[in-house]
Amino acid sequence: MDTTEEESGPEPIVPGVARALSPLVRRILALNPGARTGIGTNTYLVGIDEIVVIDPGPEDASHLDSVAGCGGDRIRWITWTQDGPDYTEGLEAMVARTGAEVLDPADGDTILGTEFRLNIHAMPGPSPSHRAFMLEEERMLICGGLINDDRVAPLVPGVSDVSQLVASLEQASKMRLRRMAPSHGYIVEDAKKAIPAELERRAQIDQSILGAIKDGASTPAEIVAALHPEETDPDRVDVIAGTVEVHLAGLAVAKQAKESKGAWAAAGSGTAVMGRPRTTRAARRAPPPSRRPRMGPRVGLRWVAGPHSRRVTFACAAPSSRATGHGRAGLVRECGCAHAPR
């Protein structure tokens, strides 16, 4: 049964229970709480007669059954905002339950259902391939890891890039958004206020890190201890240290900080205070690329779904090219572009 969030305030999100966020969007919380995922990963179902599932989540039978039970045979497509087991581990199992098509859309592509239009925007930062889905009918951005409702979205060393994240947030600020639906946490009701607040929060993190370095901290672990002495949970400390490490990399690119032999110092200062090099567990657990079975065409194409059939029209970006068919073979036969799948 779907329920709707009341204006008086959000109720606790119950794992496995579909919650209507709007006439076109439902959310189901996965059973994967943790230091990085918070209360868990949000799986979104967009559409009514035709449904696209965004971020199927971990390979947890209970969660996948809830999603499949909510959408039933109306689930036509499955896609994701970013790679990693918290978002795509259950992809193949969801395909097995629903028979849906896996979409790996590129920047500028559009997914058209009977009642909705989802425009895809590449928004790297949380990961190089991170993307967001703009639901045009409701001006809602299903934004993945760009932002959380009440806490800083954690970053992963070796995967995340804070300068790209800032650029993506600035891009989102120009999109006339009403709401944002993050991968973790509650819906962000006022995007106009939330995005500038997140940008300010990222800038404050940079300044806090530089302040800690100037006070003598020289490793991510020491910076976390200086800035968050209240944190005692080892997993939580590792996640924060991973975010600090990503911010340090951004400060180094901006020439505001420098690293030497595992120790960090403010740029322009004297010799860095030596500290023991440390690789956080967050870095060692950087999410691997997901397996991507049954991919549809990607480069320069858009998926246009017919309202009452499995027929798909592939609109090629090349001049004077258009191909209609039931699958990739139809595209290759009629389009013949260099980028067409072979």
Side-chain angles (χ1 to χ4, degrees), residues 160-179:
S160 305
D161 186 306
V162 72
S163 62
Q164 290 183 344
L165 173 62
V166 168
S168 292
L169 286 167
E170 291 173 344
Q171 176 186 348
S173 71
K174 302 173 184 177
M175 294 175 64
R176 298 186 296 110
L177 302 176
R178 294 177 184 169
R179 308 166 84 196

Side-chain angles (χ1 to χ4, degrees), residues 3 18 25 35-37 44-45 73 75 109 113 119 125 144 154 161 187 207-208 239 245 278 280 282 285-286 330:
T3 56
V25 181
R36 184 173 303 282
T37 58
Y44 292 99
L45 295 89
D73 59 7
I75 296 177
D109 285 348
N119 288 332
D161 186 306
I187 195 91
Q207 293 307 308
S208 297
V239 168
E245 194 171 330
R278 178 177 183 271
T280 66
R285 290 199 301 262

Side-chain angles (χ1 to χ4, degrees), residues 63-64 193 237:
H63 173 67
L64 297 174
K193 291 183 179 179
V237 169

